[in-house]
Amino acid sequence: MLSSEVTAMVTARYGLGRATNPPVYAARGELGRIWRLDTEGGTWAVKEALVPVLEADAAADVAFQLAVAATGVPLPSPVRTTDGQVTVRGPDAVLRVYEWVDLDPAAPDPSAADLGDLLARLHRVRHPARGPVGEWFAAPLGPARWTALAAKAAKANAEWAGPLDEHLPELIALDALVRPPDPAKVRTCHRDLNADNVRRATGGHLVVLDWENSGPAQPEREFAALLWEVGDAAPAAARAYGGPPPEREHFSTAIAVQGHLLEFYGTRALDPTSPAEDRDRATARLDAMLARPLTEKAIAELRDS
């Protein structure tokens, strides 16, 4: 629960007016919790970060959001503090505010074509990158870290240890396909465009959410990652996107992210000091990812589809 002290700080710093109701817990993602806050000035989404956030990074993702919004892509409007900051620091977390968007929980997920079209619209913005592509999106996990993760899972008798061990040779071999990013092609990208982060508002239109992960990437590599995300519907996404078929090296980002995510979730699932909610969430994600891992065979099938 956001304390009354934190709520008062947020409303004052962002100039939202007096809170008319206590904050209501709305959603949880990998990077933070979202609270609905009703005030005299309107309804707002307050994001409470679960990972460290630098103001400069938050300001950079807001600049990208505003550039995208100017082209007509619907997204929640970010709110700055009265002195122009994006974030404020509470006693236990960094917080930021967006205008609230009412989503339709009964609406169907966006189609693969919807996602392909939206990604093409984002890439046409051509927003310059702030710095190089980070290791999470560019570097393979490497054999030593793969084998260490598998050994820890086996020692703990984790339920996902078997599937990881089964796919371990493929995952290690897949790392060899990763190629360094081309600095000349790097731009700011969303880096997490999927059916979870594209929802339909109550007005019927699609809204792109969760921009905090945006940053430097190669658009063609983000496109390849989307094709893997949508699976059998990849041809529909590719037609809507309109670009050429991806090369094998364009899957470098998807390979790197898969490795780092599996290591992240594995570490969290095995950490007895992590909250039970976090361990359960990590285990569920491990089960889902290891049931359908990205492999060289999967890449070949996507390129031929």
Side-chain angles (χ1 to χ4, degrees):
M1 180 67 185
L2 285 183
S3 68
S4 58
E5 292 80 9
V6 170
T7 300
M9 178 193 69
V10 168
T11 56
R13 291 289 305 278
Y14 288 91
L16 307 180
R18 183 180 61 85
T20 55
N21 292 297
V24 176
Y25 181 66
R28 157 73 192 269
E30 297 304 331
L31 300 181
R33 301 184 184 92
I34 302 173
W35 304 83
R36 174 178 172 142
L37 178 61
D38 296 316
T39 75
E40 294 171 331
T43 301
W44 318 95
V46 179
K47 288 201 169 185
E48 176 191 14
L50 296 175
V51 297
V53 177
L54 298 176
E55 171 64 22
D57 293 336
D61 75 57
V62 163
F64 179 47
Q65 292 176 60
L66 295 178
V68 169
T71 70
V73 174
L75 53 91
S77 297
V79 181
R80 293 183 182 271
T81 65
T82 55
D83 58 355
Q85 298 289 105
V86 174
T87 64
V88 298
R89 190 168 298 277
D92 300 311
V94 173
L95 302 110
R96 61 194 296 175
V97 174
Y98 289 86
E99 291 185 354
W100 182 265
V101 175
D102 284 315
L103 304 179
D104 182 355
D109 288 342
S111 68
D114 290 331
L115 296 175
D117 175 67
L118 279 169
L119 188 63
R121 293 173 68 183
L122 298 188
H123 288 171
R124 286 196 289 270
V125 175
R126 302 184 66 85
H127 192 73
R130 176 177 169 267
V133 181
E135 177 181 301
W136 185 279
F137 299 94
L141 201 60
R145 289 164 69 177
W146 278 121
T147 54
L149 178 62
K152 290 176 183 177
K155 183 177 180 179
N157 198 28
E159 60 188 73
W160 46 273
L164 176 60
D165 188 64
E166 175 187 349
H167 294 297
L168 193 63
E170 293 177 296
L171 294 170
I172 292 174
L174 192 64
D175 280 352
L177 297 185
V178 176
R179 297 291 180 269
D182 181 347
K185 296 180 179 179
V186 171
R187 300 202 297 270
T188 300
C189 294
H190 185 281
R191 302 198 304 195
D192 200 18
L193 192 82
N194 54 53
D196 290 334
N197 292 333
V198 177
R199 310 303 302 168
R200 200 167 295 279
T202 52
H205 60 281
L206 291 172
V207 180
V208 183
L209 307 171
D210 288 351
W211 293 82
E212 290 79 16
N213 204 36
S214 60
Q218 282 186 227
E220 62 270 25
R221 296 186 178 197
E222 187 175 39
F223 169 54
L226 176 65
L227 296 186
W228 169 241
E229 171 74 23
V230 301
D232 293 340
R239 286 192 297 272
Y241 183 83
E247 302 292 335
R248 287 212 314 168
E249 72 174 43
H250 293 165
F251 288 89
S252 293
T253 292
I255 296 168
V257 169
Q258 174 177 255
H260 291 294
L261 274 176
L262 285 171
E263 183 183 51
F264 170 80
Y265 288 130
T267 301
R268 175 174 283 182
L270 297 174
D271 182 1
T273 66
S274 292
E277 178 190 9
D278 289 351
R279 296 198 304 273
D280 291 345
R281 184 184 180 92
T283 298
R285 293 302 300 269
L286 286 161
D287 290 343
M289 292 180 69
L290 291 170
R292 181 181 169 260
L294 179 61
T295 62
E296 289 192 66
K297 179 181 178 183
I299 289 172
E301 290 173 348
L302 283 169
R303 294 188 64 226
D304 290 340
S305 63

